[in-house]
Amino acid sequence: MTKAIILAGGRGVRLRPYTVALPKPLMPIGEYPILEIIVRQLAFYGFTHITMAVNHQADIIKAYFGDGSKWNLNIDYSLEEKYLSTMGPLTLVDNLPENFLVMNGDVLSDLNYKNLLETHANEKNIFTISAHKRQEKVDYGVLETNDSSMLTNFNEKPIHEYLVSMGIYAVSRRILEFIPKNAPFGFDNLMYLLLDKKIAVKVAPYSGYWLDIGRPDDYMQAVEEFENMRHIFKLQD
């Protein structure tokens, strides 16, 4: 069994007012909700079982996806009775395999999910973060000063580059030892804890396509680019 857990319980605050009536994972990209694009991709890469961790407007998501037979895989649901953040829902899922995929339900990427999970398992990592390089332009002239407030350097509208989490993770079942049950526990909480305990976490940089459609700018970009780029997303009609 190749299993993925999709975190689909968020309230989509950043995309309001669109997400007042519609769950964020059902926001449309082309003719598909973003979550259906993810399900189709996982089916393409040979995943056979998806658990959707749901909370906000769970009934709408369940009604849309059902048991997953439409996509030739098995979909079930893990319902949070209270908010558990991003990593807390993992403690509610029974019979987890030794290694599995965890991802947000609002990412658009051409990442090969199968390769990510296989590499993670072969390297025996406890947690692998798929990461993407982003650029941020500062729209101001940046001043650097010394302790006497005298100018020491000047940068006109500099561009900063940094690696960010893509919201896609390959995970070992061993990680459950570090996640408290029945309590909110986020990705940030887990990373701080693992760093504090000096437990190695693998970062896997990815240079392909990735957008976080929970961000309004990324969502509009995805809508604009999807039709011309849909071939890269491995959708099976």
Side-chain angles (χ1 to χ4, degrees):
M1 177 181 69
T2 308
K3 184 178 180 66
I5 298 173
I6 302 178
L7 306 173
R11 294 184 175 272
V13 174
R14 292 178 297 174
L15 282 180
R16 288 180 177 169
Y18 305 110
T19 51
V20 172
L22 194 68
K24 181 174 60 172
L26 294 186
M27 290 293 292
I29 305 290
E31 72 267 38
Y32 302 116
I34 178 63
L35 188 50
E36 183 177 349
I37 292 174
I38 293 171
V39 168
R40 287 172 176 266
Q41 290 177 307
L42 291 171
F44 176 86
Y45 285 116
F47 285 76
T48 57
H49 188 184
I50 295 173
T51 294
M52 294 187 180
V54 293
N55 183 329
H56 181 60
Q57 297 177 313
D59 289 343
I60 300 176
I61 294 174
K62 289 181 180 180
Y64 189 94
F65 289 98
D67 63 2
S69 55
K70 178 179 177 181
W71 299 277
N72 297 314
L73 43 69
N74 177 39
I75 295 178
D76 58 21
Y77 303 88
S78 176
L79 178 64
E80 300 175 22
E81 294 184 355
K82 67 177 184 178
Y83 176 70
L84 295 176
S85 193
T86 49
M87 294 292 111
L90 299 185
T91 64
L92 302 179
V93 181
D94 296 327
N95 301 317
L96 286 170
E98 184 175 354
N99 293 286
F100 52 95
L101 190 77
V102 177
M103 64 183 296
N104 295 340
D106 60 356
V107 293
L108 182 65
S109 179
D110 64 345
L111 178 70
N112 186 321
Y113 301 116
K114 179 182 178 182
N115 283 353
L116 175 68
L117 186 57
E118 287 181 347
T119 300
H120 163 85
N122 290 338
E123 293 179 350
K124 295 180 171 55
N125 297 315
I126 190 171
F127 202 97
T128 300
I129 306 168
S130 189
H132 198 269
K133 183 178 291 186
R134 297 207 74 153
Q135 293 184 337
E136 182 176 350
K137 182 178 180 180
V138 179
D139 290 329
Y140 303 95
V142 176
L143 308 176
E144 297 179 19
T145 62
N146 60 20
D147 293 341
S148 301
S149 296
M150 302 301 291
L151 185 69
T152 59
N153 198 13
F154 174 75
N155 289 310
E156 176 62 19
K157 297 180 179 178
I159 295 175
H160 298 301
E161 288 190 343
Y162 45 86
L163 277 177
V164 299
S165 166
M166 293 169 60
I168 304 169
Y169 319 107
V171 182
S172 164
R173 189 172 55 211
R174 291 176 290 148
I175 205 68
L176 294 177
E177 300 171 13
F178 304 97
I179 303 176
K181 293 183 178 180
N182 202 35
F185 198 75
F187 171 74
D188 55 340
N189 302 123
L190 181 60
M191 293 304 103
Y192 288 133
L193 179 61
L194 295 179
L195 286 168
D196 184 61
K197 292 183 175 295
K198 295 181 170 51
I199 296 173
V201 173
K202 178 67 177 289
V203 175
Y206 181 65
S207 60
Y209 191 92
W210 172 76
L211 290 172
D212 169 9
I213 75 144
R215 301 176 67 255
D217 289 348
D218 277 13
Y219 176 64
M220 296 308 300
Q221 182 180 342
V223 169
E224 292 170 1
E225 294 177 344
F226 180 75
E227 287 305 323
N228 291 331
M229 303 187 69
R230 60 182 296 146
H231 62 282
I232 72 173
F233 299 119
K234 309 300 185 186
L235 304 179
Q236 294 179 307
D237 297 307

